[in-house]
Amino acid sequence: MRRPSVLAVASVVLAAVCVGLLTGCDTGPRFGAEEAAHKKAQDTMIRELEALPGAKVTATVDSSLDGGQNNVIVDARLPAAATVAQANALGDSIERTVWLSHLDPLGDIGVDITRQGSRVSVQQRLYQDRRPLGVKYGPRPDGLPG
């Protein structure tokens, strides 16, 4: 007599577990939307960096298990006759563009500025601690963390 009631309880529990698992798997569309928003933020930031005037700018976003997520690497090549003031202005424009992007999370930021015809860096900027950028440029858009 106990056997049918045990089977009935086990069946109800199994059905509840299956419904719970299937309900929990309904994250596909949201993940796709989040991934699309991330890709759009990344592409927009790269496009804005590469459109900065006065230099040839190349930007990439790199993620790895060892290095972390969304590390921004920017290489900029100024004209051979560019001044230090021009390099400083370009570096600031690059920092501001990355900081005010919607890329989230924001990883390390590396900027390398050279002159045409030279491989020697005019300026290198590396931000693992991004608090100085928050002080310099204010909060990130939409309350994104720094």
Side-chain angles (χ1 to χ4, degrees):
M1 293 271 177
R2 289 182 142 192
R3 202 160 230 184
S5 63
V6 170
L7 287 175
V9 169
S11 296
V12 169
V13 169
L14 182 59
V17 168
C18 288
V19 168
L21 288 174
L22 289 174
T23 302
C25 290
D26 186 29
T27 59
R30 280 179 289 191
F31 178 73
E34 289 173 11
E35 186 66 27
H38 178 267
K39 179 73 172 139
K40 181 180 178 188
Q42 180 177 319
D43 291 346
T44 299
M45 181 196 65
I46 289 172
R47 191 172 43 255
E48 289 174 357
L49 287 167
E50 292 180 349
L52 289 172
K56 169 70 174 138
V57 178
T58 305
T60 57
V61 177
D62 185 38
S63 298
S64 70
L65 291 175
D66 293 335
Q69 290 185 319
N70 298 327
N71 298 314
V72 180
I73 301 100
V74 182
D75 292 308
R77 187 167 296 276
L78 287 165
T83 65
V84 172
Q86 288 171 313
N88 288 336
L90 178 63
D92 290 347
S93 293
I94 290 169
E95 288 175 352
R96 186 181 317 103
T97 301
V98 173
W99 183 253
L100 296 177
S101 75
H102 286 86
L103 189 63
D104 182 46
L106 182 58
D108 296 344
I109 302 166
V111 179
D112 186 32
I113 301 174
T114 58
R115 287 188 179 99
Q116 288 178 344
S118 176
R119 292 185 180 194
V120 177
S121 293
V122 174
Q123 195 173 103
Q124 290 182 324
R125 300 180 184 195
L126 176 62
Y127 294 95
Q128 293 173 320
D129 176 8
R130 291 166 301 283
R131 285 179 288 191
L133 295 175
V135 170
K136 192 172 183 178
Y137 301 112
R140 294 198 64 216
D142 301 330
L144 293 173

